[in-house]
Amino acid sequence: MRLIKCKNPDEVSKEAAKIIAGQMALKPDSTIGFATGSTPVGTYKILIDMYKNGELDFSKITAFNLDEYYPIEHKNDQSYYYFMRDNLFSHVNIDPENCHIPNGEAKDADAECAEYDKLIQEKGGIDLQILGIGQNGHIGFNEPDENLFCATHKTKLTDNTIEANSRFFATKEEVPTHALTMGIGEIMKARRIILLATGKNKQQAVKALLNDYLNTNVPATMLKLHSDVVLICDEDALS
Ligand code: GLP
């Protein structure tokens, strides 16, 4: 795992945007795995600016998002469907047909998850996966547990995650209790991975990532088995 140490969140966003832009230049029809949460928002702003300046072209890009609350309506402004349109997709020339997010409105969650993995494989897999990290070390919505799932699946959110994500909702009770998420196996199949971590509340999770052990109670530690992961952290997350 390669570590890029940054001074602050702005630098983290710049480093991440540089890597994503490099991937797009190298392979204009890249398949990119996108993440939600507050951490990648600055990176998406830079990508939008680069697109507006004519430096980036999303027309051949395929997007697969990591996760989505379940159940949740697309029109809910806390859905990741809404988030991605608001923070990236509607500002660049990506083809909406090529934007994939696990469907929070699906009637049959298991069928939706199986279909999602099939689609990723049909598109040739993910070239570059962007990840944030939960305070408890989750990636996507793969929560700390005795066992971790490989495939995309429906999962129950932990109290810690519901608490952490309640800052975006009017009340804690409004946070969905479940989600659909790419599994650890699907994430590990990505050819390249970048993980962004900023802020003091990520210190514990980042420390576990940098220690030399695997622990399903810190799901992100599974990334140590991947040969091309870049960890981009600010001083607060590293201290
Ligand atoms: C959510 C998402 C994760 C994300 C995490 C951290 O739970 N499912 O993919 O990494 O939040 O979010 P933030 O960047 O807001 O700290």
Side-chain angles (χ1 to χ4, degrees):
M1 194 174 295
R2 189 159 73 87
L3 173 65
I4 301 180
K5 296 181 186 179
C6 299
K7 277 206 162 42
N8 51 44
D10 282 351
E11 254 188 42
V12 169
S13 299
K14 281 182 199 147
E15 289 297 330
K18 232 192 276 172
I19 293 175
I20 300 163
Q23 173 68 40
M24 289 172 64
L26 209 63
K27 189 178 174 213
D29 61 347
S30 286
T31 296
I32 298 183
F34 286 97
T36 51
S38 46
T39 312
V41 171
T43 302
Y44 297 158
K45 284 203 173 104
I46 297 174
L47 295 181
I48 292 168
D49 285 346
M50 291 179 81
Y51 162 71
K52 288 188 174 155
N53 292 337
E55 296 165 59
L56 276 187
D57 175 16
F58 286 79
S59 63
K60 296 196 183 91
I61 294 295
T62 298
F64 280 99
N65 259 75
L66 266 176
D67 50 11
E68 175 62 287
Y69 291 114
Y70 186 81
I72 198 160
E73 291 187 309
H74 294 334
K75 65 175 188 223
N76 185 323
D77 63 2
Q78 290 311 320
S79 73
Y80 290 166
Y81 180 95
Y82 193 101
F83 176 101
M84 286 311 297
R85 263 148 195 78
D86 204 28
N87 286 291
L88 183 64
F89 297 156
S90 66
H91 304 284
V92 297
N93 65 335
I94 194 164
D95 181 346
E97 292 282 311
N98 292 338
C99 297
H100 306 282
I101 301 180
N103 185 2
E105 296 184 351
K107 293 253 173 335
D108 182 339
D110 292 341
E112 167 64 18
C113 291
E115 191 55 37
Y116 202 68
D117 284 348
K118 203 170 135 225
L119 201 56
I120 296 175
Q121 299 325 313
E122 279 170 12
K123 293 281 176 186
I126 291 172
D127 292 304
L128 175 65
Q129 176 66 56
I130 304 157
L131 294 176
I133 187 166
Q135 292 174 28
N136 62 3
H138 74 217
I139 45 175
F141 270 129
N142 292 277
E143 296 280 41
D145 208 341
E146 244 174 73
N147 299 302
L148 297 174
F149 277 84
C150 280
T152 299
H153 60 284
K154 179 181 162 192
T155 187
K156 189 169 165 21
L157 302 181
T158 59
D159 284 345
N160 178 294
T161 295
I162 291 175
E163 182 68 47
N165 290 6
S166 66
R167 68 190 194 278
F168 300 115
F169 291 81
T171 64
K172 190 177 160 187
E173 287 62 42
E174 279 178 36
V175 184
T177 53
H178 289 75
L180 307 180
T181 182
M182 273 187 207
I184 295 288
E186 277 308 308
I187 294 171
M188 292 287 285
K189 279 187 208 160
R191 287 181 262 283
R192 303 171 68 197
I193 296 176
I194 55 173
L195 187 147
L196 285 49
T198 60
K200 288 196 192 311
N201 59 352
K202 301 295 169 69
Q203 276 174 9
Q204 282 303 109
V206 168
K207 198 172 154 196
L209 262 184
L210 298 173
N211 285 340
D212 191 25
Y213 61 83
L214 301 178
N215 181 355
T216 60
N217 282 311
V218 187
T221 60
M222 298 300 134
L223 297 174
K224 292 168 193 286
L225 298 172
H226 194 285
S227 59
D228 194 349
V229 178
V230 180
L231 183 57
I232 312 173
C233 294
D234 72 351
E235 278 175 1
D236 281 346
L238 278 171
S239 57

